Amino acid sequence: LMPWYTGFLTHTVLSGDSLYRIARMYGSTLRAVELANPGLDALNLQIGAEVIVPLPFSVVPTDIAFGSTALSYAVRGLAARYPFLTLSEAGKSVMGRSLYTLQFGRGDTAVLYNAAHHANEWITSPLLLHFLEKLCAAYAAGDGLAGYSAEALYNKVTLTVVPMVNPDGVDLVVGELTEGRFFDGARAIARNYPAIPFPKGWKANIAGTDLNLQYPAEWERAREIKFAQGYTTPAPRDFVGSA
C-alpha cells in the first residue's frame, strides 16, 4: 500500500525496459518519470537500476483527517516527485515526531510559511502542502500560479515550509493518539478545564503549552493577558509556558 500513500513507487530496471515503457506500466507519464530521476540516462538504462515512478494522482490528500502519519507520507512523496524540493527536519516534537521542512527556490528573498501551530487547526497543514504541490507542478511544467511565473518565483525567492509545527497535538485531535502516557497526560490536563471539549478543543502541544504564544514577541504581555483569563498552568489552549 505504500505507493498509494506516498504517490510514487520504485521500479527495478529489467531487460528491455525504457523510461516510456516503465511510465506506461504504472499509468504515469514520461515527463513525470524524467523529472523524478534527473541523474538517470534514459538512453543507457542499466539492468538493476532503480527508477522512481510518480503515480497519476496528487500526493497531498485533502479529504481525510490529516495527522503526522499522513504528513510523513505526503512530504516523502513531494520530495520524490520533485527533486528540486529539499526535504529536511527542523527538529523533533515532545513525542519525538519529525518537524519536517520543505524548501523551494534559490532566491535572495527568504519566506517562511508554517501550519498547525494549533492542534485543532490541523486543516492548515494539508492546505499549505496542497499549495506547495501546485507550485511545484507549475514550476515543473513551466507554468504559472495565480498569475505569477513559478520559475520567476523559484529564482527570486527561497520558500521554507514547516507544514506541521505541532504534530503531537494534531494527532491527539484527529484520533491518531488514543492511548499511552502522553494521551493520559493530556487528558489529565484537560480535566482542569472542563469547559474545553477533549480532545477536539485541544490547541496546545502535548505538554499543554500553546506554541503560538511561545515566541519572544511581547511574551510577557501575553502571559499577563492569559494568566488573567485563568490559564496559569498547562492547558488545552492559551497557556504561554513557563518562560
Side-chain angles (χ1 to χ4, degrees):
L1 291 176
M2 190 58 67
W4 300 101
Y5 294 150
T6 61
F8 76 96
L9 54 79
T10 302
H11 175 87
T12 302
V13 175
L14 304 173
S15 177
D17 274 349
S18 66
L19 289 189
Y20 178 76
R21 180 177 181 275
I22 294 169
R24 287 290 300 273
M25 187 184 307
Y26 299 106
S28 189
T29 66
L30 178 60
R31 174 59 181 152
V33 174
E34 289 176 335
L35 182 66
N37 300 272
L40 200 63
D41 184 354
L43 299 179
N44 188 30
L45 289 182
Q46 301 297 310
I47 294 176
E50 294 187 339
V51 178
I52 294 173
V53 184
L55 297 176
F57 52 83
S58 297
V59 173
V60 181
T62 57
D63 57 353
I64 63 170
F66 196 91
S68 68
T69 301
L71 171 74
S72 68
Y73 295 146
V75 297
R76 285 173 55 197
L78 288 174
R81 186 171 292 199
Y82 303 112
F84 52 82
L85 198 63
T86 302
L87 173 63
S88 58
E89 291 185 15
K92 300 288 187 182
S93 69
V94 172
M95 294 180 62
R97 286 165 165 75
S98 296
L99 302 177
Y100 293 108
T101 68
L102 292 154
Q103 193 170 85
F104 171 93
R106 58 187 179 190
D108 293 332
T109 301
V111 178
L112 171 67
Y113 286 173
N114 55 62
H117 267 82
H118 287 155
N120 62 357
E121 296 167 10
W122 57 264
I123 198 171
T124 55
S125 290
L127 173 66
L128 181 54
L129 287 176
H130 178 63
F131 157 75
L132 182 62
E133 183 170 15
K134 292 180 68 175
L135 176 62
C136 288
Y139 175 73
D143 291 336
L145 184 66
Y148 292 90
S149 163
E151 182 178 1
L153 288 172
Y154 185 88
N155 292 320
K156 181 179 180 180
V157 172
T158 297
L159 169 64
T160 300
V161 169
V162 184
M164 191 175 288
V165 177
N166 183 10
D168 303 343
V170 168
D171 283 354
L172 178 68
V173 170
V174 301
E176 195 163 321
L177 176 65
T178 58
E179 60 183 1
R181 67 183 181 92
F182 288 106
F183 177 84
D184 292 342
R187 184 164 53 185
I189 290 171
R191 289 194 185 105
N192 295 321
Y193 297 88
I196 301 175
F198 180 79
K200 296 300 183 182
W202 193 276
K203 297 178 73 174
N205 76 347
I206 203 66
T209 297
D210 193 319
L211 297 180
N212 212 24
L213 298 170
Q214 265 284 297
Y215 290 93
E218 297 194 21
W219 179 83
E220 291 79 8
R221 176 63 176 152
R223 179 177 59 182
E224 179 182 335
I225 293 171
K226 297 304 181 182
F227 273 36
Q229 294 173 350
Y231 297 102
T232 59
T233 60
R237 56 177 293 172
D238 293 335
F239 175 59
V240 301
S242 59

